[in-house]
Structure formats: structure tokens, C-alpha cells
């Protein structure tokens, strides 16, 4: 028993010494928002997933999607989540002002990242995964509608996001530098694999739920949607939407990929009001550990069945400045692995 303990202490001391002498991965100016980062680029943007073997994992027994958490006693926790998704034929943005605000106010949050987004935003992905304030999670490879995708395309859409994450983490490990808080080597703060999944558009099928469980992932949805992908939704409207519906154990949906319209303006008021009500902020995993998950057998946005209608999974112009999501009234083409849907 003494020998293993001695080895453990030696490894901890070695890791601590390495962190003390390692350079910082990023200067404060490199962590901060850069004007234009939020811009969505509609250009040739095809990226192939890395070819590598996934880290070991075990399937989960979870069946269904987690919408919120029932907390015990008088706990008042809430999880803020931000989607960082990217379509096959674009490079989406990074709303660094949101991240700067969260860091400055020490607000915990969970970022659901698309695999393709991770590869087109490697440095930002590494910054998020190595910051102890934040948790990172799987938001599929290219943000396809998993209600209609099936077969190997379904498997790959989930798996390739895992592959991308593990590739980017390996690249971070090779740097041997310290993360945003500067106390440990950056890669040691980042988990070896992602354990949570969010389905694009809040849509899924029985096959998608089964595949998520098979790949060892817990599907996470939300019980409060900010409505921020809609350009016409003002910062004040986003605040009202969130503050009217939030309750202890809520999981709140935002976007930070250049399509979180007015999210930057809404967030300070939302945070201030939530704090005034006595809430604390947690990552999704911390929230799950604090109570009993509320599980739905099917995916939906705000009411059962609302994401089962045919929907077009690509962005459409909703303003002269960019794109928003079209949620109603357009039929989806039949799903095929080889083409953009």
C-alpha cells in the first residue's frame, strides 16, 4: 500500500512543479474578445474529422433527455449553457464578450461545442476547456438534425465531436503550458473525454437517444430557452423570457457562436437579477450532482412534440446583418450522410 501512495505523491509533486515552471498558454489579451470574432463566415469551410481512436468509455444506462434538476432543501442553483455550433458550409463565430463577462464575474457555465467548431476555433476551444469556471460538452459534429439522421451518419455525428475534442486536447497537452487561472497545466484541467451531449435544434429520435447512451453520453436539454437565435428578440425580451421562467434547478439555453442575437446585452441584467434572487451558478455536471434529474422520454424545445414537426436545419436570413434559425413551416429534405441538410 505504501508504494502506490508514494508513487501518487511523487506524481502530484511532479505535476505541481511542472505547472510552477510552465509558461502561460495565453496572455490576458489573447484570452479577451477580439472585434470580429463573432462574425459568421459563409464560405467554403469543409473540415474532415481527425482519424484517431477514441479514449476508453463505458455506455450509460440513461434513457431520455435531462431537462432540469429537482434540488433538495433550499438550494437555489441554476446552470447557464451556451451552444457553439457550426454548419458544414460555414465558419461560425465566437462571442468572446460573453466569455469575458463570465470570467470577470466568476460565473460558472457549460459550453456545448460542435466538433467542427472546435477544429475551426482550436485556441478558443482550448481556452474554454482549461478554464475551471467552465465545463465543455458535445454538440455533435456538424449540427445535423438527429431526428432525421440515421445509420452510420448518426453514429459519426456524435462520435466525430468526441474525436475532435480529444484531438484538440492532445494538442493542448503538447504545449505544456498553464491555463487561464495559471495554477495547473492547461490540459490537466480539461477532461479526457466529453460526457454530456446536446442534440441540435432540441430534436432527437429513439435511435439518437440509444446512440448517445451507447457512446457513454448523457443527453442534456433545457427547461428555459432564451430565444436568442431570433434576431427580433431584443435584449429586454431575452431578459424577460429567462427571468419569468427560471426556477431552482433550471438549465438555461443561450448561444455564443455569432447567432446569440443580443445575448451580450441581456446577460448582465439576467445575472444581476438571478443573483438578487439568491441563486448560485453551477455547471451542468455540478447541477446534476446536487439533485435528481428531471428526464423526458423525448426531445422538445418548450412543449412535447414541438421539435417533431418538419424543420429546415439550416440558417436562413432574418436580418440584414446575418442569419438566424428557421424553426417552423419548412420541410426538411430526406436525410442522407453525403449532403448538407
Amino acid at each position: 500500500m505504501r508504494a502506490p501512495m508514494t508513487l501518487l505523491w511523487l506524481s502530484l509533486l511532479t505535476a505541481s512543479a511542472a505547472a510552477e515552471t510552465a509558461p502561460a498558454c495565453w496572455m490576458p489579451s489573447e484570452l479577451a474578445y477580439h472585434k470580429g470574432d463573432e462574425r459568421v463566415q459563409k464560405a467554403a469551410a469543409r473540415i474532415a474529422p481527425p482519424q484517431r481512436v477514441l479514449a476508453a468509455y463505458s455506455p450509460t444506462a440513461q434513457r431520455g433527455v435531462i431537462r432540469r434538476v429537482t434540488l433538495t432543501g433550499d438550494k437555489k442553483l441554476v446552470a447557464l449553457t451556451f451552444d457553439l455550433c457550426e454548419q458544414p458550409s460555414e465558419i461560425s463565430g465566437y462571442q468572446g464578450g460573453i466569455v469575458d463577462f463570465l470570467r470577470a464575474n466568476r460565473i460558472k457555465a457549460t459550453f456545448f461545442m460542435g466538433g467542427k467548431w472546435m477544429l475551426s476555433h482550436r485556441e478558443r476551444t482550448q481556452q474554454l476547456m482549461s478554464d475551471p469556471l467552465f465545463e465543455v460538452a458535445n454538440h455533435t459534429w456538424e449540427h445535423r438534425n438527429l431526428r432525421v439522421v440515421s445509420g452510420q451518419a448518426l453514429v459519426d455525428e456524435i462520435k466525430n465531436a468526441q474525436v475532435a475534442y480529444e484531438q484538440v486536447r492532445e494538442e493542448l497537452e503538447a504545449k505544456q503550458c498553464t491555463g487561464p487561472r495559471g495554477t495547473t497545466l492547461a490540459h490537466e484541467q480539461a477532461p479526457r473525454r466529453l460526457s454530456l451531449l446536446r442534440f441540435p435544434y432540441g430534436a432527437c429520435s429513439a435511435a439518437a437517444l440509444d446512440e448517445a447512451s451507447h457512446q457513454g453520453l448523457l443527453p442534456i436539454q433545457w427547461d428555459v430557452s432564451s430565444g436568442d437565435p431570433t434576431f427580433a428578440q431584443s435584449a429586454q425580451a431575452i431578459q424577460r423570457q429567462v427571468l419569468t421562467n427560471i426556477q431552482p434547478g433550471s438549465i438555461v439555453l443561450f448561444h455564443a457562436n455569432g447567432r446569440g442575437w443580443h445575448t451580450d446585452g441581456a446577460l448582465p441584467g439576467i445575472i444581476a437579477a438571478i443573483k438578487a434572487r439568491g441563486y448560485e451558478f453551477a455547471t451542468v455536471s455540478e447541477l446534476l450532482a446536487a439533485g435528481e434529474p428531471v428526464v423526458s422520454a423525448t426531445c422538445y424545445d418548450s412543449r412535447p412534440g414541438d421539435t417533431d414537426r418538419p424543420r429546415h436545419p439550416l440558417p436562413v436570413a432574418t436580418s440584414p446583418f446575418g442569419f438566424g434559425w428557421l424553426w417552423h413551416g419548412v420541410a426538411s429534405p430526406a436525410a442522407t450522410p453525403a449532403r448538407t441538410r
Side-chain angles (χ1 to χ4, degrees):
M1 181 68 180
R2 183 174 296 177
M5 289 299 295
T6 301
L7 290 173
L8 175 61
W9 277 109
L10 285 173
S11 65
L12 291 173
L13 289 171
T14 301
S16 177
E20 288 178 4
T21 59
C25 296
W26 307 280
M27 300 298 291
S29 61
E30 294 173 309
L31 291 169
Y33 161 69
H34 301 151
K35 186 176 181 180
D37 282 353
E38 74 285 356
R39 190 173 297 119
V40 178
Q41 303 173 49
K42 303 300 293 183
R46 292 286 176 173
I47 298 177
Q51 298 300 306
R52 57 180 293 134
V53 177
L54 282 172
Y57 66 91
S58 299
T60 67
Q62 181 71 39
R63 183 65 171 86
V65 291
I66 296 170
R67 297 196 59 83
R68 58 181 312 278
V69 174
T70 300
L71 302 173
T72 58
D74 58 356
K75 294 178 183 176
K76 297 185 75 174
L77 297 176
V78 62
L80 305 182
T81 69
F82 298 84
D83 287 1
L84 295 167
C85 39
E86 187 166 287
Q87 298 284 342
S89 58
E90 69 176 12
I91 301 295
S92 66
Y94 171 76
Q95 290 172 257
I98 291 172
V99 180
D100 289 352
F101 178 81
L102 295 173
R103 284 193 175 119
N105 292 276
R106 300 191 67 80
I107 305 297
K108 294 182 177 182
T110 299
F111 290 87
F112 287 86
M113 302 188 296
K116 181 171 170 288
W117 189 94
M118 296 182 218
L119 297 185
S120 63
H121 299 78
R122 277 174 155 86
E123 288 288 326
R124 294 306 192 182
T125 298
Q126 292 173 351
Q127 292 169 6
L128 293 173
M129 71 167 66
S130 61
D131 193 320
L133 274 177
F134 304 142
E135 176 178 39
V136 292
N138 184 323
H139 195 30
T140 74
W141 168 243
E142 289 180 324
H143 206 261
R144 300 180 187 276
N145 188 336
L146 298 194
R147 186 180 67 82
V148 294
V149 174
S150 61
Q152 190 61 43
L154 169 59
V155 174
D156 290 345
E157 187 67 13
I158 296 173
K159 182 188 72 175
N160 286 342
Q162 298 290 107
V163 169
Y165 172 81
E166 292 175 20
Q167 176 68 38
V168 175
R169 185 187 182 278
E170 183 177 279
E171 293 168 4
L172 178 60
E173 182 175 2
K175 295 180 181 180
Q176 289 293 295
C177 54
T178 57
R181 301 295 160 184
T183 55
T184 60
L185 291 174
H187 74 277
E188 293 177 351
Q189 180 61 42
R192 291 192 175 275
R193 72 181 308 271
L194 304 176
S195 59
L196 306 177
L197 168 72
R198 172 163 287 166
F199 291 113
Y201 315 108
C204 67
S205 63
L209 289 169
D210 288 341
E211 185 57 36
S213 296
H214 177 73
Q215 294 198 33
L217 297 164
L218 288 179
I220 306 295
Q221 272 200 287
W222 55 83
D223 68 321
V224 180
S225 176
S226 67
D228 64 357
T230 303
F231 179 76
Q233 186 92 319
S234 67
Q236 293 74 24
I238 291 171
Q239 287 188 41
R240 287 195 299 272
Q241 172 77 4
V242 173
L243 296 176
T244 298
N245 293 287
I246 203 166
Q247 58 183 308
S250 280
I251 299 172
V252 188
L253 170 67
F254 296 99
H255 293 75
N257 67 330
R259 292 195 173 94
W261 297 110
H262 312 299
T263 309
D264 305 66
L267 203 57
I270 290 171
I271 297 296
I274 290 175
K275 283 184 173 180
R277 295 180 186 180
Y279 282 87
E280 296 181 8
F281 300 93
T283 65
V284 169
S285 289
E286 290 172 340
L287 188 66
L288 294 174
E292 186 68 25
V294 176
V295 178
S296 169
T298 59
C299 296
Y300 61 93
D301 178 34
S302 58
R303 60 184 58 84
D306 63 4
T307 58
D308 292 340
R309 295 172 56 189
R311 298 168 194 274
H312 196 300
L314 291 176
V316 295
T318 56
S319 82
F321 308 107
F323 290 78
W325 299 113
L326 180 65
W327 287 93
H328 300 289
V330 180
S332 297
T336 62
R339 68 175 184 176
T340 301
R341 290 174 295 285

